[in-house]
Amino acid sequence: MTYETLLVEVADGVGVITLNRPKAMNALNQTLTRELGEAVDALEADQAIGCIVLTGGDQVFAAGADIKEMKDLSFHDLYVSDFPRIQRDCWRAIDEARTPVVAAVAGFALGGGCELALACDFIVATDSAKFGQPEIGIGTMPGAGGTQRLTKAVGKAKAMDMCLTGRMMDAEEAERAGLVSQIVSADALLDTVRKVAKKIASHSRPAVMMIKESVDLAVDADLQDGLLFERRNFAATFAFEDCKEGMNAFAEKRKPVFKHR
C-alpha cells in the first residue's frame, strides 16, 4: 500500500512505519492518523511480520496534533465529527496489535506525538529526544492518553508535573523515569531499533504474543491475578511446536528453527 503521510518498508520480518510530514514536523492530522491505523492493521495481518517499528525519522518524532486543523472546531464539531473516530481507530490499532510495536524517537515527541510513543510497547530514543504534554499552554489538556499512559509509565508526580506545567522531559530523565528503555546516538537510532525488532521477530511469534499479553495485563491487573494469568500462559506455551523445538535445540546445543506455531 502507498500512503500520503507515511513511508512503509518491510524487511527481515520487520515492518517500519515512518511518519512523513517533514514540513509540519510530523504533526498528527486526520490523514496521518487514519493512514497510521490502516498501516498498523495491514502489518499486523501479515503473518511474515514479527515486529513493527514506528518512527518519525532521525530529526523529529511528532510535534503533536495539527493545531491548524483543530483550532476552529467547537465542542459539537469535535464530539460528532469523524476526528475522534479516526484518532480512536489509530490508537486502537496500536493497542490491539498482537505484534510488538517499538517506537524509535528522535527529537520532539510532544502532545499527540508523546501519546503516540506511549501507546507503543517500548521506546528507544536518541539523546536529543524531548517528551512532553504541552497542551496546557494552549488552554486544553491531553486527549489521547497523556494523563493516563504517562501516569502509568512515570508515576503520578512526574505526570502531574509535565501535564500541569507543560515542561519537556529530556531523554536522560525519561530513561531514569522508565519512559524510555534505552538511549542511543542519533546516527545509530534506526539501525539499533531495527536490530532489536529483528531479534524480536526471530523468536517464536506465539510466545512473543503471550509475553506481550502478560506484560500488558501487569499494568492494570492485581498481582495475584497477573501471576495466575502468567502461569497459565507459561503452561500453554508447552502446546507450541516452537517450545519443543527450542528446548530440544538447547539440549542439543544448536540454534532453534522456529515455525511460529
Side-chain angles (χ1 to χ4, degrees):
M1 297 179 66
T2 58
Y3 301 95
E4 180 182 339
T5 63
L6 306 174
L7 300 174
V8 180
E9 59 178 294
V10 174
D12 300 320
V14 175
V16 180
I17 302 172
T18 303
L19 309 182
N20 189 37
R21 295 189 71 209
K23 292 182 179 179
M25 297 184 71
N26 293 334
L28 309 179
N29 64 1
Q30 292 189 52
T31 301
L32 188 151
T33 50
R34 184 186 70 251
E35 291 187 340
L36 180 55
E38 292 170 356
V40 172
D41 280 340
L43 292 174
E44 168 74 357
D46 188 341
Q47 296 300 306
I49 302 299
C51 191
I52 299 169
V53 173
L54 178 59
T55 183
D58 57 6
Q59 297 298 316
V60 62
F61 184 71
D66 193 328
I67 303 303
K68 292 180 181 178
E69 185 180 70
M70 300 176 66
K71 66 184 181 63
D72 295 324
L73 294 175
S74 67
F75 166 74
H76 179 269
D77 293 333
L78 190 60
Y79 188 76
V80 304
S81 72
D82 284 340
F83 185 76
R85 177 184 58 78
I86 292 169
Q87 186 184 68
R88 183 179 66 248
D89 287 349
C90 173
W91 265 257
R92 174 206 51 76
I94 298 171
D95 281 340
E96 296 182 3
R98 302 182 76 190
T99 305
V101 182
V102 182
V105 176
F108 294 119
L110 304 178
C114 185
E115 290 168 319
L116 188 59
L118 284 164
C120 297
D121 291 305
F122 63 92
I123 301 169
V124 178
T126 68
D127 48 15
S128 69
K130 303 280 188 181
F131 300 88
Q133 299 293 160
E135 291 88 348
I136 188 66
I138 57 170
T140 184
M141 64 174 285
T147 64
Q148 303 302 303
R149 290 190 180 92
L150 183 62
T151 303
K152 292 179 183 299
V154 303
K156 177 183 175 181
K158 282 192 180 293
M160 280 287 194
D161 177 8
M162 292 175 69
C163 291
L164 292 177
T165 68
R167 78 171 180 89
M168 290 185 286
M169 176 184 284
D170 64 22
E172 184 177 343
E173 182 183 1
E175 185 182 35
R176 289 199 309 269
L179 179 62
V180 166
S181 67
Q182 62 173 305
I183 301 172
V184 299
S185 62
D187 59 357
L189 176 64
L190 293 181
D191 283 344
T192 299
V193 177
R194 281 192 177 99
K195 287 178 183 177
V196 171
K198 186 177 178 181
K199 181 68 173 178
I200 293 170
S202 74
H203 294 310
S204 168
R205 284 175 202 154
V208 167
M209 288 178 181
M210 282 195 168
I211 290 171
K212 177 173 157 64
E213 288 174 355
S214 299
V215 175
D216 281 341
L217 182 75
V219 175
D220 298 308
D222 171 81
L223 176 60
Q224 294 306 313
D225 290 339
L227 289 171
L228 177 60
F229 186 83
E230 179 188 69
R231 284 196 298 272
R232 287 178 175 171
N233 269 359
F234 169 70
T237 64
F238 280 69
F240 298 151
E241 290 181 24
D242 286 343
C243 182
K244 302 304 180 188
E245 164 63 12
M247 291 187 176
N248 286 333
F250 179 83
E252 295 164 11
K253 299 182 179 180
R254 60 175 176 82
K255 187 176 180 179
V257 179
F258 293 128
K259 297 180 179 179
H260 308 297
R261 60 185 186 219

